[in-house]
Amino acid sequence: MKKIVSLIALACAASSLMVACGDSNGEKKISVGFSQIGAESDWRKASTESIQTEAAKRGIDLQFADAQQKQENQIKAIRSFIAKGVDVISFSPVVSSGFEDVLKEAKAAGIPVILFDRGVDVSEDGLFKCFIGSDFVEEGRRAANWIVQNVGEEAGIAELVGTVGSAPATERAKGFREVIEKHPGLKIIKSQSGDFTRSQGKEVMEQFLKSPEKDQIKVLFAHNDDMALGAIQAIEEAGKKPGKDIIIVSIDGVREMFKSILAGKSNCTVECNPLIGGALFDVVEKYMKEGEKAIPTRIVSEEGVFDSKNITQAVIDGRKY
Ligand code: AHR
């Protein structure tokens, strides 16, 4: 029986006709293997919920694997999706490099890959069909522009960096520097990774606040809200007022950060939209019906910037994540 199932899976994967395999009731369900990074932040939890809810709504057979922050788990999951012969593979890469081999394996098996949320560095074209997600460089620029416009030309900046080697960490840092470097009085005086988690954001901020440069820190730029929320705790424990003694700018736009801004403990969050499960399955369904040529190679999320000027209780109540 097992052999028959894998033969069917192989036949489906190899088929040039883009038809989904039927389930035991004879219904045609599209199967998608998705490798998620983990649950490092509120943003990530919202991302997972968006994927799972959208798949269920559309009757898609979603095979979801949580990589628990490890690239090796993502590679294993992708290999198992290839072996099962899913219709489409999608994943949010924990880091940008090191996926080339497994992407070549997916290509050789005839299974299209859609990158979700984060990009990868590959030297060959055609290893993925579409990339759906934010423009992280632009997010970094937006954070820096807010500082230029609201803090001014002179400030020492501490930076809490995301996961080392991940696209959002590399690209947000790049966009941020692009703007800051045009203002010589704005100086990045501390920069360290907090791995996108609240606990490490707090730990690293504690170290910053004990460092010889501690009194020069006027602004904190955190690559995500969770690290900023951890840092707020550290700042309060050090007897300072977050949002006043140290101006805080972060990225994501999660509800808890909105509350923090309304309470005056933080100042700005640049939106990064995790609710893109619908966009993913729109592309999957279009691909299954009309083929590769019908789908775009890049879909960029539309996002805003939030601070005390546009966050109200009504905005918080309507926030979905
Ligand atoms: O890739 C998106 C980033 O990853 C979000 O900013 C962060 O919160 C998440 O963990």
Side-chain angles (χ1 to χ4, degrees):
M1 181 62 182
K2 256 191 184 165
K3 260 191 187 162
I4 296 172
V5 172
S6 43
L7 275 175
I8 294 169
L10 268 176
C12 286
S15 170
S16 56
L17 288 170
M18 273 173 278
V19 177
C21 292
D23 65 11
S24 53
N25 302 320
E27 285 167 20
K28 286 192 174 159
K29 275 195 168 198
I30 298 171
S31 60
V32 177
F34 191 96
S35 168
Q36 179 61 290
I37 292 170
E40 74 279 8
S41 60
D42 283 1
W43 190 99
R44 186 65 53 200
K45 289 171 203 155
S47 159
T48 293
E49 205 190 315
S50 169
I51 296 159
Q52 292 178 333
T53 311
E54 277 296 332
K57 213 160 62 181
R58 296 165 191 239
I60 284 175
D61 168 20
L62 176 69
Q63 301 179 28
F64 185 89
D66 178 338
Q68 301 187 327
Q69 257 67 42
K70 291 199 175 82
Q71 182 177 37
E72 69 209 63
N73 290 346
Q74 292 208 292
I75 293 173
K76 261 189 223 154
I78 295 168
R79 289 207 166 111
S80 91
F81 299 147
I82 297 171
K84 286 181 191 158
V86 296
D87 295 311
V88 177
I89 292 172
S90 182
F91 71 115
S92 290
V94 62
V95 289
S96 317
S97 61
F99 285 103
E100 187 133 359
D101 287 348
V102 76
L103 289 175
K104 282 181 184 162
E105 290 166 33
K107 189 179 176 188
I111 303 178
V113 173
I114 299 172
L115 297 180
F116 186 86
D117 154 40
R118 299 182 179 182
V120 288
D121 296 330
V122 281
S123 54
E124 193 179 305
D125 280 349
L127 294 183
F128 57 90
K129 302 294 175 202
C130 178
F131 167 27
I132 305 167
S134 306
D135 179 342
F136 295 136
V137 178
E138 181 56 27
E139 290 173 350
R141 286 189 201 114
R142 287 179 181 161
N145 279 324
W146 188 92
I147 293 169
V148 172
Q149 286 155 20
N150 293 276
V151 178
E153 293 289 334
E154 299 281 325
I157 302 170
E159 181 185 35
L160 280 170
V161 178
T163 302
V164 174
S166 70
T170 312
E171 293 168 16
R172 286 171 183 167
K174 182 174 175 239
F176 188 78
R177 281 162 178 73
E178 219 178 78
V179 174
I180 291 298
E181 278 162 15
K182 292 182 191 136
H183 304 271
L186 294 174
K187 292 197 173 65
I188 301 172
I189 50 176
K190 301 297 282 181
S191 179
Q192 200 177 311
S193 174
D195 207 15
F196 282 131
T197 67
R198 204 170 290 205
S199 58
Q200 289 192 57
K202 180 170 188 274
E203 265 171 46
V204 176
M205 192 68 207
E206 282 165 359
Q207 291 167 30
F208 286 169
L209 292 171
K210 286 181 192 145
S211 71
E213 298 86 5
K214 62 179 188 298
D215 295 329
Q216 296 166 44
I217 302 174
K218 297 295 172 226
V219 175
L220 172 70
F221 168 47
H223 286 195
N224 81 344
D225 286 347
D226 273 74
M227 292 189 294
L229 289 163
I232 288 171
Q233 267 180 275
I235 295 168
E236 285 180 324
E237 284 170 19
K240 288 184 184 257
K241 287 199 175 76
K244 294 183 183 69
D245 296 334
I246 298 179
I247 300 295
I248 301 173
V249 179
S250 54
I251 296 180
D252 275 358
V254 300
R255 193 186 298 116
E256 207 177 328
M257 179 49 75
F258 277 17
K259 284 186 189 163
S260 200
I261 293 175
L262 200 63
K265 293 186 179 196
S266 194
N267 306 86
C268 170
T269 181
V270 174
E271 190 175 34
C272 178
N273 184 9
L275 308 179
I276 54 174
L280 168 65
F281 295 114
D282 282 350
V283 170
V284 168
E285 287 174 335
K286 205 166 174 49
Y287 182 89
M288 296 302 293
K289 271 198 207 125
E290 298 169 44
E292 191 178 323
K293 290 206 174 80
I295 61 165
T297 50
R298 177 79 169 107
I299 296 176
V300 184
S301 315
E302 275 184 34
E303 292 156 346
V305 176
F306 291 89
D307 61 12
S308 62
K309 293 185 211 85
N310 56 1
I311 297 177
T312 59
Q313 191 54 49
V315 170
I316 296 175
D317 293 343
R319 197 71 179 159
K320 292 201 177 73
Y321 62 100

